[in-house]
Every structure is written in structure tokens, then in C-alpha cells.
Amino acid sequence: MNNFTLGSYMPYDSLIHRLDPRAKIMGMIFFMVAIFIPAGYFPYIILGVVALVLLLIAHLKLRSVWKSMKPMLLMMVFLLVINLLVVRTGYVVVKLGDFAIYSDALAQTFYIAVRLVLMIMITTTLTATTKPLDLTLGIEDLLTPFKVLHVPAHEIAMMISIALRFIPTLIEETQRIMKAQASRGVDMEEGKLKEKIMAVLSLIVPLFVSAFQRAEDLANAMEARGYIPERKRTRYKQLKMAGRDWIMLGCSFLLMAVPILIAMGYLDPLRIGSLFLEGVGYAL
């Protein structure tokens, strides 16, 4: 049960699983905001520790999460190459003839990689601990105040939940197509540029055809069951916030507030680091 596909739900009984979906979604938003606050390296250490602790509490193996991150490695390498060619600020780290690698290029790539890894970790925690139906209800409840502005809360929540639901399905479909093409002699890794382009097309075309077919089947099934988005509907399951949900929201808000206050100069990272280490030591 520990091997999972990115975006799939893992039916464990943990504290994170029992939290209200609205609290988890808001906590994820606070976490995402904290990721993009330019406050130096220290906040990322705190965010990384928090993300690891959440994964462990949710009974998710780090090895499985790492496997879900592997497809992002190519994009990180691509970003590194682009930054090395474009960024020309900072001090020179390495110089090879007329080509020089600057410190800001490496720092910018590092920031992007860390942010991407943290985003994958926190979104994986959310999708792996929240049922698709609960996720839909939570998103719809959070968007309900925007109905005053004629925002279609239910339709948006339904689209997001369907998209999240089909992420693992599309990943599995991609793996099946790759294996089928490999059995027919298609090499995805080696060959000339033209051969690699043809190999990618042999993967993308059937994947798009399969995705459109699944979308059409889903639309037909929803129409056959009389689904009309504009109609007002009631719920069998009602969401209720408990004390642990409010505590988690408060901790998430503080997690977002720390890098903001550091970036504004109101907090000293070294002082926070010492207090954080003292708290961890006390907890252990």
C-alpha cells in the first residue's frame, strides 16, 4: 500500500487523513505562499522539515514520493542549463575559456528546485490523504463566498477534482503506452534528434487520443445520470471543522507569517533557528 501514483488517494488512518479537507486546502495555500516569499535559505529549512513530518504522520514513504519527483529531474536540468546561459550576475564560480558560471545562476536554480520539491511534497500529502469527493466538497465550500461575484463554485470544484482524479490514471496510461512502444522497437532515450522527436510523438498522440476518449466517456456518463451543473443540490455529507482543524490552520498561518516577517526585517533568522532547534530537541 506504500507504493502510490502521484495524485492518488491512500486509504490510511492517520491524523492528516482525519483533518477537514477545507483546513488541509487552506493549509496548503498558506504553505504555497510561504514557499514563494524571498526570505533567504532558513525558511526553506523549516518548510522542508514540516513537509517531511507531514509525510511521516500520513504514513507515506519518502521513497514513493521521490519516485513521483523523478519526472521533474529533466525539467530541473533544463532550468539549470537556461540559468547558466542567461544569468550573468554575482561572482564567477567556474570559468571555462570564454564561458563562466555565476553564483546567481546556481542560486536561482537551487531556489527553483527547492520550491518545486516542496510543492510536490505538500500537494502529494493533500491528494494522498483526502478523498476526491471530500476534496470537491472542500473546494466548493471555500469558493462559496465568491458566489456573490457570480463565480461558479460548484463547476470549478468539480473540474479541479476531476483533473486531480485523472492525474494517476494518465500517468499509468503513459507508462503503458511507453512499454507498448518499447516492445515495438521505439527507443525513447537514444538516437538522433529527429528519432527522439518521432518517439515523443508516438507517445503523445495516443495519450491525447486516450485522454479525449476518457473525457467523452465521462461526459456521456454524467449526462446519462442527469447531471446539470446549474441545478441547486443538497449534500448527504456535511463538513464540520473540529478543534484539531483550527489548530492546524493556526500553525499553517504562523508558518506563512514567519518568512513574511523575516523578509520585512521584523524577525531574526538566527534567533528563530535557535528557538526551533530547542523546540525540536524538547519534543524528542
Side-chain angles (χ1 to χ4, degrees), residues 7 12 17 25 27 30 36 42 48 53 98 119 139 177 210-211 235 240 242 256 265:
Y12 293 128
H17 284 74
I25 294 170
F30 291 151
F36 290 96
F42 177 72
V53 170
D98 295 333
M119 288 171 61
I139 295 173
I177 294 173
S210 174
R235 293 181 184 174
K240 294 182 180 179
M256 178 186 67

Side-chain angles (χ1 to χ4, degrees), residues 31 35 44 47-48 51 114-123:
F31 197 96
I35 289 175
Y44 290 111
L47 294 174
V114 169
R115 288 169 179 170
L116 187 61
V117 169
L118 290 175
M119 288 171 61
I120 294 175
M121 291 175 68
I122 199 65
T123 52

Side-chain angles (χ1 to χ4, degrees), residues 83-90 98-102 104-105:
N83 287 332
L84 292 179
L85 295 175
V86 174
V87 179
R88 287 288 182 268
T89 57
D98 295 333
F99 179 74
I101 298 177
Y102 291 85
D104 286 353

Side-chain angles (χ1 to χ4, degrees), residues 30 33-34 37 250-264 267 272:
F30 291 151
V33 172
I37 300 297
C251 294
S252 302
F253 183 80
L254 289 176
L255 193 66
M256 178 186 67
V258 167
I260 293 177
L261 293 176
I262 291 176
M264 296 175 65
L267 290 179
I272 298 175

